[in-house]
Amino acid sequence: MHFEIVALEAQHQPLFETLDLPPNTTFTLTKYTTTSTRDELHARIREADVVIVTTVTLDAETLSHDVTPRLRYVIVSATGTDCVDLQSCKARAIRVCNCPGANLETVSEHAISLYFAARRRTVLLDQVTRRQPSEWKQKGSVNTYMRLPDGKPPLTCGDEILGIVGYGGLGKRIAAVGTALGMKVLVAARKPSSDPSSDNARGAILLPNREDGRVPFDDVLQQATVIVLSLPRTPQTLNLLSAAEFEKMHPYAVLINIARGGIVDETALVQALRERRLAGYATDVYQVEPVGDPADTPLLAENAKDLNITLSPHLAWFSQRTIKNLGEILKATVEAALQGKDTNVIV
């Protein structure tokens, strides 16, 4: 049996040269550094049995029999699978697999680096120190730039309450690092649904789970001085944090997003910072990616320039260890798929 494998974004993952496969099973791997246009995408995967993807959107039309008649597997070279229309895959019995856990160390460390940048105002202080003529020289101190919304000095780790929203492998590791730094850790229960017919709205998760110690979502918003988002983007988590949630948050809070764009309502976030309802925001992810200008995100708008916002370009995952892990997991996942021994299956 022969498999046509197409990798759409070789810039994001180390790709295998060989696979350990049974006798009489062969493959051809076609690699593309990037895939940008819809016509390009459809032409490249028309004859594919297996597609390897990281961020390129595979929507219902792309996954239709007319466009991808031979497609049997979509393998996401990442943990999150939000770029793939899972329902369309399920309807056609296309297996979707991911590569979980490859970047836990790197992303958790990046989350902590964003915390320090937000709390200690690292980027802003660098700019202030370099600025000419020197404000520091003129005033003798520029500590006003580090002060909290009520004018008090910043907190240190031993005084922080760390709220974890999303308690998978990444959330657990961030919690462990926070504990090691001296923070008190609260793990958030799921946000109650606004749908009155749902189990969540009837109170199924409004109390902490005595077995895992989770705390009601709103209580975490009110108490935490650091909130880290480490949950997947799904229809249920879009705009998970918007104006109503920012109203509830602790005014000392810094919000760290290493999850996915769209979970935070960026427009409401900028407004909350302007109104000093929270102390800062640091993110590696955005509603629109790649980010180019204010048309893509209000975080780059003129009225956000003086706010405590720290940005990195969706590279929290990038390290030697992640690349090594990703290469090993991707190879093993493809081998299992081609052998009919599915692993890391999402649908």
Side-chain angles (χ1 to χ4, degrees):
M1 182 176 295
H2 183 80
F3 292 88
E4 290 290 338
I5 305 174
V6 176
L8 294 171
E9 303 165 90
Q11 66 172 345
H12 289 316
Q13 69 270 132
L15 291 166
F16 45 83
E17 298 296 332
T18 62
L19 293 173
D20 296 326
L21 299 174
N24 302 319
T25 300
T26 59
F27 72 96
T28 300
L29 174 62
T30 304
K31 309 174 187 178
Y32 298 100
T33 302
T34 60
T35 299
S36 302
T37 69
R38 194 171 186 79
D39 289 344
E40 196 174 61
L41 169 63
H42 288 186
R44 288 176 174 180
I45 64 177
R46 184 167 297 279
E47 301 302 319
D49 301 294
V50 180
V51 169
I52 299 172
V53 65
T54 302
T55 64
V56 171
T57 298
L58 303 183
D59 60 14
E61 181 188 359
T62 301
L63 294 164
S64 68
H65 186 272
D66 289 344
V67 176
T68 52
R70 294 176 47 174
L71 188 59
R72 298 170 60 184
Y73 286 92
V74 173
I75 298 180
V76 182
S77 185
T79 300
T81 58
D82 49 283
C83 62
V84 182
D85 186 324
L86 299 181
Q87 291 303 315
S88 294
C89 288
K90 187 175 182 180
R92 285 188 59 197
I94 297 170
R95 284 276 193 263
V96 180
C97 307
N98 69 344
C99 296
N103 59 12
L104 292 184
E105 295 94 338
T106 306
V107 176
S108 59
E109 290 172 11
H110 195 87
I112 296 301
S113 79
L114 289 177
Y115 152 71
F116 280 115
R119 179 60 80 208
R120 302 298 300 175
R121 307 294 294 270
T122 310
V123 176
L124 176 61
L125 293 180
D126 176 83
Q127 295 170 355
V128 170
T129 306
R130 294 174 185 274
R131 192 178 298 156
Q132 297 294 322
S134 171
E135 184 178 352
W136 181 18
K137 193 86 166 178
Q138 292 171 352
K139 295 183 176 180
S141 175
V142 287
N143 67 34
T144 182
Y145 289 105
M146 294 187 71
R147 293 184 179 275
L148 293 164
D150 62 1
K152 292 182 180 179
L155 300 175
T156 53
C157 291
D159 297 316
E160 300 276 25
I161 299 175
L162 171 61
I164 305 292
V165 181
Y167 200 52
L170 180 57
K172 288 181 172 66
R173 194 168 195 284
I174 293 169
V177 175
T179 298
L181 289 170
M183 298 178 181
K184 177 183 177 181
V185 175
L186 302 178
V187 178
R190 290 183 184 273
K191 181 181 179 181
S193 172
S194 59
D195 179 358
S197 66
S198 72
D199 289 339
N200 292 350
R202 291 196 296 269
I205 58 168
L206 297 182
L207 296 174
N209 184 316
R210 295 184 180 276
E211 294 181 0
D212 63 16
R214 298 196 186 202
V215 175
F217 182 82
D218 282 356
D219 286 3
V220 172
L221 293 186
Q222 292 163 9
Q223 297 177 38
T225 56
V226 185
I227 295 178
V228 178
L229 303 178
S230 55
L231 70 167
R233 181 175 62 195
T234 68
Q236 291 72 39
T237 63
L238 286 174
N239 289 329
L240 183 79
L241 296 184
S242 191
E245 289 70 38
F246 296 135
E247 288 281 357
K248 299 172 184 175
M249 286 174 64
H250 196 293
Y252 290 179
V254 290
L255 176 61
I256 313 302
N257 188 1
I258 40 78
R260 280 291 187 270
I263 294 174
V264 173
D265 180 339
E266 293 174 350
T267 300
L269 182 280
V270 169
Q271 186 64 26
L273 286 170
R274 293 214 64 79
E275 295 174 359
R276 304 177 73 83
R277 284 187 273 116
L278 66 159
Y281 181 57
T283 186
D284 189 55
V285 293
Y286 308 88
Q287 292 173 357
V288 175
E289 296 185 5
V291 165
D293 55 42
D296 295 324
T297 174
L299 301 176
L300 293 180
E302 190 67 29
N303 71 344
K305 286 185 176 179
D306 61 340
L307 301 177
N308 183 16
I309 298 174
T310 302
L311 310 176
S312 63
H314 207 147
L315 287 174
W317 62 276
F318 192 59
S319 72
Q320 292 183 26
R321 180 178 291 274
T322 296
I323 295 298
K324 179 178 182 294
N325 292 345
L326 197 55
E328 293 173 352
I329 297 170
L330 179 62
K331 183 175 185 290
T333 303
V334 174
E335 285 175 346
L338 270 55
Q339 295 173 27
K341 301 175 183 177
D342 297 343
T343 187
N344 300 325
V345 174
I346 303 299
V347 298

